Each structure stands twice: as structure tokens, then as C-alpha cells.
């Protein structure tokens, strides 16, 4: 018996890294998974797995969200789980940032998560049940130098609390997770931060960087009915880095 039997789960950014790891884990736990991503090539690949349905979505587009929710409801009848996982990063320091950089990060990481909640929560409310998990970041809690990224992830933290209070009476739980440095395509591409990543690795109490499965397993708990009385919570998944 899987922990997500008969659940319908949307995972944004579900075609790569942490999102792809969640897609296979949730599928293995019995869910019907919609991997929603902007990268069509990666979506085609992940959709080869049984019970993982790739659907194109730009999380910063309200039209895309509206179409996705209509599509999922008409094909699968309901939405039980939303994981707001799609994200982008930037290594620019404060002196290098301009409005365009700020807007790019904020519209995908912050606005994208908020639009996910705006369009999916009403579908969940029809069944008076749902679980939403938003991916913030350790950079929203401690200074790590990824400035506009940290700011956008700080907004995810605040949005999660606000949504938990707004939708609790509709049976919808909203929680946030704060991954540390996880080995995915996102961190592999952080060229100018390689030294910083090595320093973080050396400082991390558990003595290693995270793997996508470390994050996927923790989110599985929050997404599942095992977390039925948990909403508005914040869970660090960082090997103890934020406890330093
Ligand atoms: N890797 C880490 O160290 C780390 C740490 C903390 C938080 N996070 C967060 O975890 C989430 C997943 O990160 P990852 O490391 O797996 O990254 P990744 O780059 O491997 O995957 C991100 C996915 O998001 C998709 N995406 C980007 N823009 C999109 C858009 N506009 N609409 C829809 N999809 C879009 C990409 O195509 C990709 O498939 C992100 O929100 C990231 O900020 C990652």
C-alpha cells in the first residue's frame, strides 16, 4: 500500500533535479503524477515512466496555470497535492543586480508559487482537502550570497504562512521546506560558487551535500496524510547547516 495511493499530484519543475526525484518517488507511492515544466525535452523523457504525465507549464503565466488546472481536472477528476518546486537561481551580488534580474527571479520563484496556489487551491477546496508544499531555500534563512535568489525564496517563505492561514478552513495544508545545497543540475551550473559550495560542504554538520532523494523523502511526508495536522510549518532539509 503506497503512502499516496489514489492521490493526484502536480509537481512543478518536475522534469529535473529534485522535481524529477519527487515524480518517481510519488509515482512509486501510488500517486498519479503531473510533472509540469517549461522544458519540453526533459518532460518528454520523464513522461516515458508509467503514471507520470508531462504537461508544459510556465509557472509565471496565469494563462498556463488556468489551462493546466482545467486539463488535470478533466483528465484525472481532482487535485490532491501541489508541489511548487520550479525555480531558477542567480549568482549576481547586490552591486550587480538590476531590475530585470530581480524581476526574472521573483516572477518564477515567488509569483510562480503564488499563482500555483491561486489556481490549484480552488480545485482542492471542492473536496475540502489538499496538501501544498513550497520549496523555499536555506538562503532565505541564512546569508549565502545568492542575493536576488534569497529574496525570491524569502517571499516563498512568507507566501506559505499566508496561504496556510487563508486556506486552512478549506482543508488545505500549506507547508514550506528549506533545502540546503542539493546536488542537482541547478547547483552543478553554479560555476563561480564552486569554492563556496566546498566550504558549505565542509561546514555542514552531517558532512555532505544533499541528494534530490533527501528532499523528496521529506516532502513525501508533508504531502501525505501522515502530516494531516501540519500546516504553516517550516522544515529545514540541509544536513544541519542552518543550525550553525
Ligand atoms: N539544488 C539546490 O541546492 C536547492 C537548494 C534550495 C532550494 N532549491 C529549490 O528547489 C527547487 C528545485 O531545484 P533543482 O535544484 O531541482 O533545480 P533544477 O534546475 O534541476 O530544476 C528546476 C526545474 O524547474 C524548471 N523551471 C524553470 N523555470 C520554470 C518555469 N518558468 N516554469 C516551469 N518550470 C520551470 C526547469 O526546467 C527545471 O526542470 C527550486 O525551486 C530551487 O530553487 C534547490
Amino acid at each position: 500500500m503506497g503512502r499516496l495511493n489514489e492521490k493526484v499530484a502536480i509537481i512543478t519543475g518536475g522534469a529535473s533535479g529534485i522535481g524529477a526525484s519527487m515524480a518517481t518517488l510519488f509515482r512509486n507511492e501510488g500517486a498519479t503524477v503531473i510533472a509540469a515544466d517549461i522544458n519540453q525535452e526533459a518532460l518528454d523523457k520523464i513522461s516515458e515512466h508509467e503514471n507520470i504525465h508531462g504537461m508544459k507549464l510556465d509557472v509565471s503565466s496565469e494563462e498556463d496555470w488556468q489551462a493546466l488546472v482545467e486539463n488535470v481536472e478533466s483528465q484525472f477528476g481532482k487535485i490532491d497535492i501541489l508541489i511548487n518546486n520550479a525555480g531558477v537561481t542567480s549568482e549576481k551580488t547586490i552591486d550587480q543586480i538590476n531590475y530585470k534580474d530581480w524581476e526574472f527571479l521573483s516572477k518564477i520563484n515567488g509569483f510562480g508559487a503564488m499563482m500555483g496556489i491561486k489556481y490549484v487551491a480552488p480545485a482542492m477546496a471542492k473536496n475540502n482537502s489538499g496538501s501544498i508544499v513550497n520549496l523555499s531555500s536555506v538562503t532565505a534563512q541564512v546569508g549565502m550570497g545568492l542575493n536576488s535568489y534569497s529574496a525570491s525564496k524569502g517571499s516563498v517563505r512568507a507566501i506559505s504562512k499566508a496561504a496556510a492561514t487563508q486556506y486552512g478552513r478549506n482543508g488545505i495544508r500549506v507547508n514550506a521546506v528549506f533545502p540546503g545545497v542539493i546536488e542537482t543540475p541547478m547547483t552543478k551550473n553554479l560555476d563561480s560558487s564552486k569554492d563556496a559550495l566546498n566550504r558549505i560542504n565542509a561546514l555542514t554538520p552531517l558532512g555532505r551535500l544533499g541528494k534530490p532523494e533527501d528532499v523528496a523523502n521529506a516532502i513525501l511526508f508533508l504531502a501525505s496524510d501522515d502530516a494531516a495536522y501540519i500546516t504553516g510549518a517550516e522544515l529545514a532539509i540541509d544536513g544541519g547547516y542552518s543550525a550553525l
Side-chain angles (χ1 to χ4, degrees):
M1 172 93 175
R3 291 163 75 185
L4 300 181
N5 267 2
E6 301 191 3
K7 303 275 190 194
V8 177
I10 297 175
I11 302 173
T12 71
S16 169
I18 296 167
S21 178
M22 282 188 281
T24 32
L25 178 65
F26 284 21
R27 190 276 313 264
N28 292 344
E29 290 290 339
T32 297
V33 173
I34 292 88
D37 204 292
I38 202 165
N39 182 340
Q40 187 61 55
E41 210 181 307
L43 274 180
D44 291 343
K45 210 160 159 222
I46 197 139
S47 306
E48 287 168 7
H49 298 275
E50 202 185 333
N51 269 342
I52 301 181
H53 307 268
M55 293 189 189
K56 189 91 185 275
L57 171 79
D58 174 354
V59 292
S60 67
S61 159
E62 292 205 49
E63 292 76 23
D64 277 16
W65 271 112
Q66 210 164 355
L68 180 86
V69 168
E70 277 170 23
N71 202 351
V72 174
E73 280 194 301
S74 75
Q75 275 193 57
F76 305 106
K78 59 172 185 162
I79 303 169
D80 301 296
I81 295 165
L82 168 65
I83 313 295
N84 278 314
N85 165 79
V88 287
T89 193
S90 161
E91 295 175 88
K92 287 191 178 172
T93 51
I94 287 179
D95 51 300
Q96 298 165 333
I97 288 166
N98 60 32
Y99 182 73
K100 262 191 169 332
D101 304 318
W102 172 274
E103 188 185 36
F104 177 65
L105 274 281
S106 298
K107 85 174 181 194
I108 295 173
N109 296 350
F111 184 70
M114 192 175 244
M115 290 306 99
I117 299 169
K118 174 178 173 180
Y119 286 97
V120 173
M124 291 175 162
K126 288 179 198 165
N127 300 316
N128 203 35
S129 169
S131 174
I132 298 174
V133 182
N134 299 319
L135 276 90
S136 181
S137 162
V138 67
T139 61
Q141 298 174 307
V142 300
M144 268 187 176
L146 299 171
N147 298 290
S148 49
Y149 178 72
S150 310
S152 68
K153 290 297 183 177
S155 79
V156 173
R157 182 182 197 180
I159 288 164
S160 302
K161 293 269 186 206
T165 59
Q166 181 169 342
Y167 292 108
R169 305 268 168 193
N170 298 106
I172 301 169
R173 300 183 292 104
V174 187
N175 293 294
V177 297
F178 298 77
V181 180
I182 312 298
E183 293 176 304
T184 69
M186 180 181 275
T187 42
K188 277 192 192 115
N189 294 332
L190 290 177
D191 285 336
S192 59
S193 305
K194 282 277 180 292
D195 288 348
L197 293 191
N198 289 336
R199 274 199 305 280
I200 290 164
N201 195 359
L203 283 172
T204 299
L206 288 182
R208 65 170 175 87
L209 299 181
K211 301 187 179 74
E213 307 85 77
D214 294 321
V215 181
N217 281 318
I219 294 179
L220 168 63
F221 164 67
L222 290 172
S224 77
D225 293 341
D226 290 343
Y229 199 54
I230 300 177
T231 195
E234 302 191 331
L235 181 62
I237 312 168
D238 62 2
Y241 187 83
S242 60
L244 288 170

